Amino acid sequence: MSLPHAILTALLEKPSSGLELTRRFDKSIGYFWSATHQQIYRELGKLEAEGHIRTLPAEQPARGQKKSYEVLPAGRAELARWTAAAQDPKPVRDVMLLRLRAAAVVGTAGLETDLRRHLALHQRQLEEYEEIERRDFPPGKDSPEDRLRHLVLRAGIDLETFWTQWLTRAIGEFGELPDR
């Protein structure tokens, strides 16, 4: 149910074509809510059929011209309803945690190498988020919209910080395990 709301959010920020939405998902929303090109186009069709968005009139009619979309009042109302609704947090489902639990009964072969690989991936993601923060949220950029967007980015920074710290601890534990 959240993909249509992610699309409505993106379109309220800036009316866009499906291709532009895909690119924006890759650069921003995709950090916390991913979608393929096909999923985005499928949802655009549904949102248009539901009366939540409309295709913007083309400046000059042309065959094969990309469609741009904007949110209609019904779409804004739906997004506001969804934003205000209570939602419970999702339970954590992480394959690495399950693999560690399994390693307790079958052994740790190969796992330390993958922990190190995950650590490198999380360190790179953390560096990317921190670069976005430096670039997009300099001191004094504190409109209500900017503050909320920064909170989303801070969640990513805090999650990557957690994972890098936890993975560092886990790798340390592997160094202390007997009979590795």
Side-chain angles (χ1 to χ4, degrees):
M1 185 67 159
S2 296
L3 178 57
H5 299 101
I7 291 171
L8 288 170
T9 299
L11 288 175
L12 279 168
E13 291 173 343
K14 180 183 176 201
S16 304
S17 69
L19 181 58
E20 291 166 339
L21 281 172
T22 299
R23 289 180 181 149
R24 288 173 57 208
F25 264 71
D26 288 344
K27 292 180 183 174
S28 62
I29 293 173
Y31 285 119
F32 56 91
W33 197 269
S34 62
T36 67
H37 187 71
Q38 293 84 2
Q39 289 171 316
I40 290 171
Y41 274 96
R42 193 169 34 249
E43 287 302 326
L44 285 169
K46 290 178 186 175
L47 288 166
E48 192 168 26
E50 293 167 352
H52 291 169
I53 64 172
R54 74 176 180 115
T55 305
L56 290 170
E59 292 179 17
Q60 295 180 349
R63 186 175 171 97
Q65 183 176 349
K66 66 180 180 181
K67 293 181 190 178
S68 287
Y69 300 88
E70 71 176 353
V71 177
L72 296 171
R76 180 180 283 277
E78 168 54 23
L79 187 59
R81 182 209 59 77
W82 178 79
T83 300
Q87 293 187 3
D88 293 335
K90 298 277 185 217
V92 174
R93 289 179 51 155
D94 189 278
V95 173
M96 180 58 76
L97 298 177
L98 183 57
R99 290 173 60 207
L100 277 172
R101 182 69 184 252
V105 292
V106 298
T108 61
L111 198 50
E112 184 175 358
T113 300
D114 206 35
L115 285 169
R116 291 182 186 283
R117 186 179 69 82
H118 277 242
L119 176 58
L121 292 169
H122 285 287
Q123 287 170 329
R124 278 196 298 275
Q125 189 65 64
L126 177 58
E127 289 169 7
E128 187 174 340
Y129 285 162
E130 288 172 337
E131 175 56 34
I132 292 168
E133 183 177 43
R134 282 188 294 277
R135 182 190 69 219
D136 293 350
F137 298 100
K141 189 172 184 180
D142 60 357
S143 70
E145 296 84 3
D146 287 331
R147 290 173 72 177
L148 291 173
R149 289 182 185 118
H150 195 188
L151 272 174
V152 173
L153 178 60
R154 282 302 321 173
I157 290 170
D158 292 347
L159 284 169
E160 295 303 331
T161 299
F162 161 77
W163 281 114
T164 57
Q165 291 173 347
W166 182 85
L167 286 160
T168 299
R169 180 179 301 127
I171 291 165
E173 287 288 326
F174 266 70
E176 297 175 14
L177 292 175
D179 303 314
R180 292 184 332 127

